[in-house]
Amino acid sequence: MNFKVTLLPGDGIGPEVVNAAVSVMKVAAEKFNVAFKFNEQLVGGCSYDKHGVPLTDEVLSSCYDSDAVLLGAVGGYKWETLPQNLKPEAALLKLRKALGLYANIRPAKVYSALLSASTLKPEVLNGTDIIILRELTGDVYFGEPRGFDENHGWNTMVYTREEVERIAEYGFELARKRGKKITSVDKANVLDCSQFWRKIVHEVHKDFPDVELKDMYVDNAAMQIVRDPKQFDVILTQNLFGDILSDIAAMITGSLGMLPSASLGKNYALYEPVHGSAPDIAGQGKANPLATISSVAMMFNLSFQMSKAAELIEAAIEKTLTMGYRTADIYSPDTILVSTTQMTEAVIENFNHIYDEQALGVFTL
Ligand code: IPM
Ligand code: MG
């Protein structure tokens, strides 16, 4: 099998973490007999510096022509004062809309080796395994009219029936394969758009009677995630609420730098770490590559149907953490401080090791 992958390393630590993930992809490709054709392109601030826009049509064409896109991170202080449509972040929004990436999957899973890194008590956290399913192409992010003048600023929160139906269907399907529980998060006590969201989600639910549906207001959800995260399985929510809740969920795992994400549409898929471009540590070999490596595991699973390879990559990450390797962001005094490259090499070594053991029948996942 041959797969075409567009690489969009972006800004800050993006290039370092994408490099790391690509080296893991190459090793996995060899073991699992697939070939990757990589096409590396500029996105975000670096694209603005070279072309005057954060995303060019050429880059978009490359994405359309790919089986998957791997993105590092975009943004940095340097571009913060640019107008909204030229900011590095605008590239992300354009990619999401143009590729139709309506379903954003953000798992918040606790790595047991990192339990003590959370600000929550281990007994509250232990066993947490949430998926935030965030609608990604609607809501105030894209609603018109929008703008501001001397005396007003305005945005439009809007969803169509079709937009809510397709994300709800995706959510129920997803929950069906996991804990069979969905919490739909909205602000239906105040917002008409949310009232509409809730109504459609309940209509779709009629086709999924085996999945339990609960509604929750977003302010309560923010509190509940911190109070008792284990109560959640799949959290289905609007674009804006998902943006906020996914940061909360990521933080309680104690490993913001560890979490992967997938943004999926009917025809395209983009994978990226949840963390940002961290310009303050860029180019110093300090970045944690595990979120991007884990995003590649999601890519193998969801875009290439290579679930075995995905499992091995995840197992290799776990083992590397259990052995005590830590980049600076997750370091504690009783662990081993390593660079981006050392961490990546350790993951690759463990990947090969687990693969070989399994090939010999010693280890079964
Ligand atoms: C995210 C980010 C983006 C968003 C920004 C960078 C546009 O915060 O992916 O969560 O708001 O969606
Ligand atoms: Mg965000």
Side-chain angles (χ1 to χ4, degrees):
M1 280 294 258
N2 278 298
F3 295 112
K4 286 197 246 178
V5 179
T6 296
L7 301 176
L8 303 177
D11 309 316
I13 59 171
E16 293 162 80
V17 294
V18 166
N19 245 335
V22 167
S23 51
V24 175
M25 286 179 81
K26 286 182 179 161
V27 173
E30 206 175 296
K31 295 279 191 208
F32 285 83
N33 271 322
V34 294
F36 291 118
K37 189 160 175 271
F38 295 110
N39 184 359
E40 189 172 323
Q41 299 282 352
L42 296 178
V43 71
C46 57
S47 168
Y48 174 81
D49 286 348
K50 178 129 194 248
H51 303 293
V53 285
L55 181 76
T56 62
D57 290 343
E58 191 204 337
V59 175
L60 208 48
S61 309
S62 166
C63 297
Y64 285 132
D65 186 40
S66 297
D67 296 295
V69 178
L70 179 64
L71 189 139
V74 295
Y77 318 119
K78 195 176 157 190
W79 305 285
E80 260 167 19
T81 52
L82 285 172
Q84 218 64 286
N85 63 330
L86 293 178
K87 282 199 175 113
E89 290 80 0
L92 265 186
L93 300 178
K94 194 167 167 196
L95 274 169
R96 290 170 183 172
K97 198 66 176 176
L99 301 176
L101 309 175
Y102 67 89
N104 180 223
I105 304 179
R106 298 188 170 183
K109 198 173 160 211
V110 179
Y111 287 92
S112 47
L114 292 180
L115 255 186
S116 61
S118 172
T119 49
L120 294 193
K121 295 192 189 91
E123 63 270 28
V124 174
L125 198 61
N126 202 2
T128 294
D129 181 3
I130 305 174
I131 285 192
I132 306 243
L133 178 62
R134 168 186 177 195
E135 198 292 327
L136 204 58
T137 51
D139 206 346
V140 276
Y141 270 70
F142 296 97
E144 297 284 349
R146 59 186 295 162
F148 65 93
D149 60 24
E150 212 40 41
N151 300 310
H152 311 84
W154 61 94
N155 285 90
T156 304
M157 180 177 274
V158 57
Y159 267 114
T160 64
R161 167 178 285 274
E162 195 216 338
E163 283 173 333
V164 184
E165 278 175 356
R166 68 181 177 182
I167 191 71
E169 275 160 20
Y170 194 93
F172 285 114
E173 298 279 3
L174 185 66
R176 196 170 248 176
K177 291 187 225 131
R178 295 170 39 97
K180 295 193 166 47
K181 259 174 39 187
I182 276 211
T183 309
S184 172
V185 173
D186 59 40
K187 188 71 185 171
N189 50 346
V190 177
L191 303 170
D192 299 280
C193 179
S194 273
Q195 229 178 323
F196 175 74
W197 168 279
R198 186 178 284 209
K199 175 174 158 303
I200 307 295
V201 170
H202 279 265
E203 282 176 24
V204 174
H205 182 221
K206 294 200 179 95
D207 294 333
F208 300 86
D210 53 318
V211 178
E212 183 193 320
L213 168 64
K214 198 172 163 183
D215 300 299
M216 200 177 271
Y217 297 134
V218 62
D219 46 352
N220 185 27
M223 187 264 275
Q224 294 293 344
I225 290 173
V226 178
R227 191 185 72 86
D228 175 23
K230 278 194 284 250
Q231 70 182 286
F232 296 106
D233 176 23
V234 174
I235 294 180
L236 165 69
T237 190
Q238 298 182 211
N239 200 348
L240 179 63
F241 303 148
D243 178 44
I244 299 162
L245 294 182
S246 60
D247 268 26
I248 301 179
M251 186 57 218
I252 60 154
T253 67
S255 46
L256 186 56
M258 304 278 306
L259 297 175
S261 78
S263 301
L264 310 171
K266 222 166 132 237
N267 303 310
Y268 305 102
L270 180 146
Y271 300 84
E272 60 177 316
V274 168
H275 64 69
S277 61
D280 48 323
I281 58 159
Q284 300 171 29
K286 287 185 185 164
N288 185 343
L290 296 179
T292 318
I293 296 174
S294 182
S295 300
V296 160
M298 289 187 89
M299 182 191 289
F300 277 54
N301 204 3
L302 298 167
S303 284
F304 310 146
Q305 275 67 52
M306 293 172 64
S307 58
K308 199 79 216 166
E311 272 173 40
L312 283 185
I313 293 173
E314 278 302 333
I317 292 175
E318 291 248 25
K319 187 161 180 206
T320 307
L321 289 171
T322 308
M323 288 164 73
Y325 291 105
R326 302 282 187 275
T327 40
D329 55 314
I330 48 174
Y331 175 75
S332 58
D334 51 340
T335 58
I336 309 155
L337 183 64
V338 293
S339 67
T340 311
T341 317
Q342 287 167 326
M343 184 66 112
T344 310
E345 280 164 4
V347 171
I348 289 176
E349 200 170 303
N350 284 325
F351 178 89
N352 284 330
H353 193 68
I354 299 171
Y355 179 93
D356 291 345
E357 274 182 340
Q358 224 182 23
L360 293 172
V362 178
F363 185 95
T364 42
L365 282 170

Short mmCIF file of all heavy atoms in Angstrom, two decimals, residues 127-175:
data_model
loop_
_atom_site.label_atom_id
_atom_site.label_comp_id
_atom_site.label_asym_id
_atom_site.label_seq_id
_atom_site.Cartn_x
_atom_site.Cartn_y
_atom_site.Cartn_z
N GLY A 127 -8.15 6.28 35.69
CA GLY A 127 -9.17 5.61 34.88
C GLY A 127 -9.94 6.54 33.96
O GLY A 127 -10.80 6.11 33.20
N THR A 128 -9.63 7.84 34.00
CA THR A 128 -10.33 8.78 33.12
C THR A 128 -10.00 8.50 31.65
O THR A 128 -8.84 8.32 31.28
CB THR A 128 -9.91 10.24 33.46
OG1 THR A 128 -10.38 10.55 34.76
CG2 THR A 128 -10.49 11.23 32.47
N ASP A 129 -11.04 8.43 30.84
CA ASP A 129 -10.85 8.17 29.41
C ASP A 129 -12.02 8.83 28.66
O ASP A 129 -13.05 8.23 28.45
CB ASP A 129 -10.84 6.65 29.18
CG ASP A 129 -10.63 6.29 27.72
OD1 ASP A 129 -10.44 7.21 26.91
OD2 ASP A 129 -10.66 5.09 27.40
N ILE A 130 -11.81 10.11 28.35
CA ILE A 130 -12.88 10.91 27.73
C ILE A 130 -12.53 11.17 26.27
O ILE A 130 -11.36 11.36 25.94
CB ILE A 130 -13.00 12.29 28.43
CG1 ILE A 130 -13.21 12.14 29.94
CG2 ILE A 130 -14.12 13.12 27.83
CD1 ILE A 130 -13.19 13.48 30.69
N ILE A 131 -13.54 11.20 25.43
CA ILE A 131 -13.32 11.77 24.10
C ILE A 131 -14.19 13.00 23.97
O ILE A 131 -15.40 12.95 24.19
CB ILE A 131 -13.65 10.78 22.97
CG1 ILE A 131 -12.54 9.75 22.87
CG2 ILE A 131 -13.80 11.53 21.64
CD1 ILE A 131 -12.58 8.89 21.65
N ILE A 132 -13.53 14.13 23.68
CA ILE A 132 -14.30 15.32 23.37
C ILE A 132 -14.51 15.30 21.86
O ILE A 132 -13.54 15.29 21.09
CB ILE A 132 -13.54 16.60 23.76
CG1 ILE A 132 -13.12 16.54 25.23
CG2 ILE A 132 -14.38 17.83 23.41
CD1 ILE A 132 -13.68 17.54 26.15
N LEU A 133 -15.75 15.26 21.47
CA LEU A 133 -16.08 15.31 20.05
C LEU A 133 -16.64 16.71 19.79
O LEU A 133 -17.76 17.03 20.16
CB LEU A 133 -17.10 14.23 19.69
CG LEU A 133 -17.54 14.25 18.22
CD1 LEU A 133 -16.36 14.00 17.29
CD2 LEU A 133 -18.64 13.23 17.99
N ARG A 134 -15.80 17.50 19.15
CA ARG A 134 -16.12 18.91 18.95
C ARG A 134 -16.52 19.15 17.50
O ARG A 134 -15.77 18.78 16.59
CB ARG A 134 -14.86 19.72 19.31
CG ARG A 134 -14.89 21.16 18.90
CD ARG A 134 -13.53 21.83 19.16
NE ARG A 134 -13.55 23.21 18.71
CZ ARG A 134 -12.45 23.95 18.53
NH1 ARG A 134 -11.25 23.45 18.79
NH2 ARG A 134 -12.54 25.19 18.11
N GLU A 135 -17.68 19.77 17.30
CA GLU A 135 -18.07 20.15 15.94
C GLU A 135 -17.08 21.23 15.50
O GLU A 135 -16.77 22.13 16.26
CB GLU A 135 -19.51 20.67 15.95
CG GLU A 135 -20.18 20.68 14.57
CD GLU A 135 -19.62 21.67 13.58
OE1 GLU A 135 -19.17 22.75 14.03
OE2 GLU A 135 -19.61 21.39 12.39
N LEU A 136 -16.59 21.15 14.26
CA LEU A 136 -15.44 22.01 13.94
C LEU A 136 -15.64 22.98 12.77
O LEU A 136 -14.76 23.78 12.50
CB LEU A 136 -14.22 21.10 13.66
CG LEU A 136 -12.84 21.68 13.85
CD1 LEU A 136 -12.61 22.18 15.26
CD2 LEU A 136 -11.75 20.66 13.48
N THR A 137 -16.77 22.92 12.08
CA THR A 137 -16.88 23.81 10.92
C THR A 137 -18.10 24.75 11.00
O THR A 137 -18.46 25.36 10.00
CB THR A 137 -16.94 23.00 9.60
OG1 THR A 137 -17.95 22.00 9.72
CG2 THR A 137 -15.61 22.36 9.30
N GLY A 138 -18.74 24.82 12.16
CA GLY A 138 -19.88 25.73 12.28
C GLY A 138 -19.74 26.66 13.47
O GLY A 138 -18.63 26.95 13.91
N ASP A 139 -20.91 27.14 13.99
CA ASP A 139 -20.92 27.95 15.22
C ASP A 139 -20.39 29.37 14.99
O ASP A 139 -20.20 29.80 13.86
CB ASP A 139 -20.10 27.22 16.30
CG ASP A 139 -20.52 27.56 17.73
OD1 ASP A 139 -21.23 28.54 17.93
OD2 ASP A 139 -20.13 26.82 18.64
N VAL A 140 -20.07 30.07 16.05
CA VAL A 140 -19.57 31.46 15.93
C VAL A 140 -18.26 31.54 15.17
O VAL A 140 -17.86 32.60 14.71
CB VAL A 140 -19.33 32.14 17.31
CG1 VAL A 140 -20.60 32.72 17.86
CG2 VAL A 140 -18.68 31.22 18.28
N TYR A 141 -17.57 30.40 15.07
CA TYR A 141 -16.30 30.41 14.35
C TYR A 141 -16.47 30.82 12.89
O TYR A 141 -15.57 31.41 12.30
CB TYR A 141 -15.65 29.02 14.42
CG TYR A 141 -14.75 28.83 15.61
CD1 TYR A 141 -15.30 28.75 16.89
CD2 TYR A 141 -13.38 28.73 15.47
CE1 TYR A 141 -14.48 28.58 17.98
CE2 TYR A 141 -12.56 28.55 16.56
CZ TYR A 141 -13.11 28.48 17.81
OH TYR A 141 -12.30 28.31 18.91
N PHE A 142 -17.60 30.44 12.31
CA PHE A 142 -17.78 30.70 10.88
C PHE A 142 -19.05 31.48 10.56
O PHE A 142 -19.27 31.87 9.42
CB PHE A 142 -17.78 29.37 10.10
CG PHE A 142 -16.46 28.65 10.20
CD1 PHE A 142 -16.27 27.63 11.13
CD2 PHE A 142 -15.40 29.00 9.38
CE1 PHE A 142 -15.05 26.97 11.24
CE2 PHE A 142 -14.18 28.34 9.47
CZ PHE A 142 -14.00 27.32 10.41
N GLY A 143 -19.92 31.68 11.57
CA GLY A 143 -21.22 32.33 11.31
C GLY A 143 -21.07 33.75 10.80
O GLY A 143 -20.20 34.51 11.23
N GLU A 144 -21.96 34.12 9.88
CA GLU A 144 -22.01 35.49 9.35
C GLU A 144 -23.36 36.10 9.75
O GLU A 144 -24.35 35.37 9.83
CB GLU A 144 -21.89 35.47 7.82
CG GLU A 144 -20.58 34.94 7.29
CD GLU A 144 -19.41 35.92 7.41
OE1 GLU A 144 -19.66 37.11 7.71
OE2 GLU A 144 -18.26 35.49 7.22
N PRO A 145 -23.47 37.40 9.97
CA PRO A 145 -22.39 38.38 9.87
C PRO A 145 -21.44 38.37 11.07
O PRO A 145 -21.80 37.86 12.13
CB PRO A 145 -23.16 39.70 9.81
CG PRO A 145 -24.41 39.44 10.59
CD PRO A 145 -24.76 38.00 10.32
N ARG A 146 -20.28 38.91 10.85
CA ARG A 146 -19.31 39.07 11.92
C ARG A 146 -18.56 40.37 11.67
O ARG A 146 -18.45 40.83 10.53
CB ARG A 146 -18.34 37.89 11.93
CG ARG A 146 -17.58 37.73 10.62
CD ARG A 146 -16.74 36.48 10.59
NE ARG A 146 -15.68 36.53 11.56
CZ ARG A 146 -15.02 35.44 11.97
NH1 ARG A 146 -15.34 34.25 11.50
NH2 ARG A 146 -14.06 35.54 12.85
N GLY A 147 -18.00 40.95 12.70
CA GLY A 147 -17.20 42.15 12.48
C GLY A 147 -17.20 43.06 13.69
O GLY A 147 -17.71 42.69 14.75
N PHE A 148 -16.57 44.20 13.55
CA PHE A 148 -16.67 45.21 14.60
C PHE A 148 -16.46 46.59 13.99
O PHE A 148 -15.85 46.73 12.93
CB PHE A 148 -15.68 44.94 15.74
CG PHE A 148 -14.22 45.05 15.37
CD1 PHE A 148 -13.52 46.24 15.53
CD2 PHE A 148 -13.53 43.95 14.86
CE1 PHE A 148 -12.18 46.33 15.19
CE2 PHE A 148 -12.18 44.03 14.52
CZ PHE A 148 -11.51 45.23 14.68
N ASP A 149 -17.06 47.58 14.61
CA ASP A 149 -16.81 48.96 14.21
C ASP A 149 -16.44 49.75 15.46
O ASP A 149 -16.09 49.15 16.49
CB ASP A 149 -18.03 49.55 13.47
CG ASP A 149 -19.29 49.57 14.33
OD1 ASP A 149 -19.15 49.55 15.59
OD2 ASP A 149 -20.40 49.57 13.78
N GLU A 150 -16.53 51.02 15.40
CA GLU A 150 -16.14 51.86 16.51
C GLU A 150 -16.86 51.50 17.82
O GLU A 150 -16.28 51.51 18.89
CB GLU A 150 -16.46 53.32 16.11
CG GLU A 150 -15.56 54.40 16.66
CD GLU A 150 -14.07 54.08 16.71
OE1 GLU A 150 -13.52 53.48 15.75
OE2 GLU A 150 -13.44 54.40 17.74
N ASN A 151 -18.15 51.17 17.70
CA ASN A 151 -18.98 51.00 18.90
C ASN A 151 -19.57 49.62 19.12
O ASN A 151 -20.25 49.40 20.12
CB ASN A 151 -20.13 52.02 18.87
CG ASN A 151 -19.59 53.44 18.84
OD1 ASN A 151 -18.73 53.78 19.66
ND2 ASN A 151 -20.03 54.22 17.89
N HIS A 152 -19.37 48.69 18.19
CA HIS A 152 -19.94 47.35 18.35
C HIS A 152 -18.95 46.30 17.89
O HIS A 152 -18.10 46.55 17.05
CB HIS A 152 -21.19 47.14 17.46
CG HIS A 152 -22.20 48.22 17.56
ND1 HIS A 152 -22.13 49.39 16.84
CD2 HIS A 152 -23.32 48.29 18.30
CE1 HIS A 152 -23.16 50.14 17.13
NE2 HIS A 152 -23.89 49.51 18.03
N GLY A 153 -19.13 45.08 18.46
CA GLY A 153 -18.43 43.91 17.94
C GLY A 153 -19.46 42.81 17.86
O GLY A 153 -20.31 42.70 18.75
N TRP A 154 -19.49 42.01 16.81
CA TRP A 154 -20.54 40.99 16.72
C TRP A 154 -20.07 39.74 15.96
O TRP A 154 -19.20 39.81 15.09
CB TRP A 154 -21.79 41.56 16.05
CG TRP A 154 -21.56 42.04 14.64
CD1 TRP A 154 -21.76 41.33 13.50
CD2 TRP A 154 -21.06 43.32 14.24
NE1 TRP A 154 -21.43 42.09 12.40
CE2 TRP A 154 -21.00 43.31 12.83
CE3 TRP A 154 -20.67 44.48 14.94
CZ2 TRP A 154 -20.54 44.42 12.09
CZ3 TRP A 154 -20.21 45.56 14.20
CH2 TRP A 154 -20.16 45.53 12.80
N ASN A 155 -20.62 38.62 16.38
CA ASN A 155 -20.45 37.34 15.69
C ASN A 155 -21.80 36.63 15.68
O ASN A 155 -22.69 37.00 16.42
CB ASN A 155 -19.41 36.46 16.41
CG ASN A 155 -18.00 36.94 16.15
OD1 ASN A 155 -17.49 37.76 16.89
ND2 ASN A 155 -17.40 36.46 15.09
N THR A 156 -21.92 35.61 14.88
CA THR A 156 -23.20 34.93 14.75
C THR A 156 -23.05 33.46 15.10
O THR A 156 -22.25 32.75 14.49
CB THR A 156 -23.72 35.05 13.30
OG1 THR A 156 -23.78 36.43 12.96
CG2 THR A 156 -25.09 34.41 13.15
N MET A 157 -23.83 33.04 16.11
CA MET A 157 -23.82 31.62 16.45
C MET A 157 -24.90 30.93 15.64
O MET A 157 -26.09 31.21 15.84
CB MET A 157 -24.05 31.42 17.94
CG MET A 157 -24.06 29.96 18.35
SD MET A 157 -24.25 29.74 20.13
CE MET A 157 -22.58 29.86 20.72
N VAL A 158 -24.53 30.09 14.71
CA VAL A 158 -25.53 29.47 13.85
C VAL A 158 -25.15 28.03 13.52
O VAL A 158 -23.97 27.72 13.34
CB VAL A 158 -25.73 30.30 12.54
CG1 VAL A 158 -24.44 30.48 11.77
CG2 VAL A 158 -26.80 29.70 11.64
N TYR A 159 -26.16 27.16 13.53
CA TYR A 159 -25.99 25.77 13.08
C TYR A 159 -27.13 25.40 12.15
O TYR A 159 -28.28 25.80 12.40
CB TYR A 159 -25.98 24.80 14.28
CG TYR A 159 -24.59 24.52 14.78
CD1 TYR A 159 -24.19 24.93 16.04
CD2 TYR A 159 -23.68 23.86 13.96
CE1 TYR A 159 -22.89 24.70 16.49
CE2 TYR A 159 -22.38 23.63 14.41
CZ TYR A 159 -22.00 24.04 15.66
OH TYR A 159 -20.72 23.81 16.07
N THR A 160 -26.84 24.64 11.13
CA THR A 160 -27.91 24.10 10.28
C THR A 160 -28.26 22.71 10.79
O THR A 160 -27.47 22.08 11.50
CB THR A 160 -27.47 23.97 8.81
OG1 THR A 160 -26.41 23.01 8.73
CG2 THR A 160 -27.00 25.30 8.25
N ARG A 161 -29.43 22.26 10.41
CA ARG A 161 -29.88 20.91 10.80
C ARG A 161 -28.85 19.86 10.34
O ARG A 161 -28.46 18.99 11.10
CB ARG A 161 -31.24 20.64 10.16
CG ARG A 161 -31.68 19.19 10.21
CD ARG A 161 -33.06 19.02 9.61
NE ARG A 161 -34.08 19.52 10.51
CZ ARG A 161 -34.63 18.79 11.49
NH1 ARG A 161 -34.25 17.54 11.67
NH2 ARG A 161 -35.54 19.30 12.26
N GLU A 162 -28.41 20.00 9.10
CA GLU A 162 -27.49 19.01 8.54
C GLU A 162 -26.18 18.96 9.34
O GLU A 162 -25.64 17.89 9.62
CB GLU A 162 -27.20 19.38 7.09
CG GLU A 162 -26.55 18.27 6.31
CD GLU A 162 -25.54 18.80 5.30
OE1 GLU A 162 -25.63 19.97 4.91
OE2 GLU A 162 -24.63 18.00 4.95
N GLU A 163 -25.69 20.13 9.75
CA GLU A 163 -24.44 20.18 10.52
C GLU A 163 -24.57 19.46 11.87
O GLU A 163 -23.66 18.75 12.30
CB GLU A 163 -24.02 21.64 10.76
CG GLU A 163 -23.41 22.31 9.56
CD GLU A 163 -23.18 23.80 9.77
OE1 GLU A 163 -23.91 24.43 10.58
OE2 GLU A 163 -22.27 24.35 9.13
N VAL A 164 -25.70 19.68 12.53
CA VAL A 164 -25.88 19.04 13.85
C VAL A 164 -26.12 17.55 13.67
O VAL A 164 -25.56 16.72 14.40
CB VAL A 164 -27.03 19.70 14.65
CG1 VAL A 164 -27.11 19.08 16.04
CG2 VAL A 164 -26.82 21.20 14.77
N GLU A 165 -26.90 17.20 12.66
CA GLU A 165 -27.19 15.77 12.43
C GLU A 165 -25.92 14.96 12.19
O GLU A 165 -25.72 13.91 12.78
CB GLU A 165 -28.14 15.60 11.23
CG GLU A 165 -29.59 15.82 11.61
CD GLU A 165 -30.52 15.79 10.40
OE1 GLU A 165 -30.03 15.66 9.25
OE2 GLU A 165 -31.73 15.90 10.62
N ARG A 166 -25.04 15.47 11.34
CA ARG A 166 -23.88 14.64 10.98
C ARG A 166 -22.90 14.48 12.14
O ARG A 166 -22.34 13.41 12.34
CB ARG A 166 -23.19 15.14 9.70
CG ARG A 166 -22.52 16.47 9.84
CD ARG A 166 -21.89 16.93 8.54
NE ARG A 166 -21.34 18.25 8.77
CZ ARG A 166 -20.76 18.98 7.85
NH1 ARG A 166 -20.63 18.54 6.62
NH2 ARG A 166 -20.27 20.17 8.15
N ILE A 167 -22.72 15.53 12.95
CA ILE A 167 -21.80 15.38 14.09
C ILE A 167 -22.45 14.50 15.16
O ILE A 167 -21.78 13.70 15.82
CB ILE A 167 -21.34 16.74 14.66
CG1 ILE A 167 -20.17 16.57 15.64
CG2 ILE A 167 -22.44 17.52 15.35
CD1 ILE A 167 -18.88 16.19 15.02
N ALA A 168 -23.77 14.63 15.33
CA ALA A 168 -24.45 13.80 16.33
C ALA A 168 -24.37 12.34 15.91
O ALA A 168 -24.07 11.46 16.73
CB ALA A 168 -25.90 14.25 16.48
N GLU A 169 -24.60 12.06 14.64
CA GLU A 169 -24.50 10.67 14.16
C GLU A 169 -23.10 10.13 14.40
O GLU A 169 -22.93 9.01 14.87
CB GLU A 169 -24.82 10.60 12.65
CG GLU A 169 -26.29 10.49 12.39
CD GLU A 169 -26.68 10.90 10.97
OE1 GLU A 169 -25.80 10.89 10.07
OE2 GLU A 169 -27.87 11.23 10.77
N TYR A 170 -22.10 10.97 14.08
CA TYR A 170 -20.71 10.53 14.31
C TYR A 170 -20.50 10.21 15.80
O TYR A 170 -19.89 9.21 16.16
CB TYR A 170 -19.73 11.60 13.84
CG TYR A 170 -18.32 11.06 13.76
CD1 TYR A 170 -17.82 10.55 12.58
CD2 TYR A 170 -17.50 11.01 14.90
CE1 TYR A 170 -16.55 10.00 12.52
CE2 TYR A 170 -16.24 10.46 14.85
CZ TYR A 170 -15.77 9.97 13.66
OH TYR A 170 -14.52 9.41 13.61
N GLY A 171 -21.04 11.07 16.64
CA GLY A 171 -20.89 10.90 18.09
C GLY A 171 -21.53 9.62 18.60
O GLY A 171 -20.94 8.88 19.38
N PHE A 172 -22.75 9.36 18.15
CA PHE A 172 -23.44 8.15 18.62
C PHE A 172 -22.71 6.89 18.14
O PHE A 172 -22.59 5.92 18.87
CB PHE A 172 -24.90 8.16 18.18
CG PHE A 172 -25.76 9.11 18.98
CD1 PHE A 172 -26.34 10.22 18.40
CD2 PHE A 172 -25.97 8.89 20.34
CE1 PHE A 172 -27.12 11.11 19.14
CE2 PHE A 172 -26.74 9.76 21.10
CZ PHE A 172 -27.32 10.88 20.50
N GLU A 173 -22.24 6.93 16.88
CA GLU A 173 -21.47 5.78 16.36
C GLU A 173 -20.22 5.54 17.22
O GLU A 173 -19.87 4.42 17.55
CB GLU A 173 -21.00 6.03 14.91
CG GLU A 173 -22.10 6.21 13.89
CD GLU A 173 -22.69 4.89 13.40
OE1 GLU A 173 -22.26 3.84 13.91
OE2 GLU A 173 -23.59 4.95 12.54
N LEU A 174 -19.56 6.65 17.55
CA LEU A 174 -18.32 6.59 18.32
C LEU A 174 -18.60 6.02 19.72
O LEU A 174 -17.90 5.12 20.21
CB LEU A 174 -17.73 8.00 18.42
CG LEU A 174 -16.38 8.17 19.08
CD1 LEU A 174 -15.31 7.50 18.23
CD2 LEU A 174 -16.04 9.67 19.20
N ALA A 175 -19.64 6.53 20.36
CA ALA A 175 -19.99 6.08 21.71
C ALA A 175 -20.37 4.60 21.71
O ALA A 175 -20.07 3.87 22.64
CB ALA A 175 -21.13 6.92 22.26
#
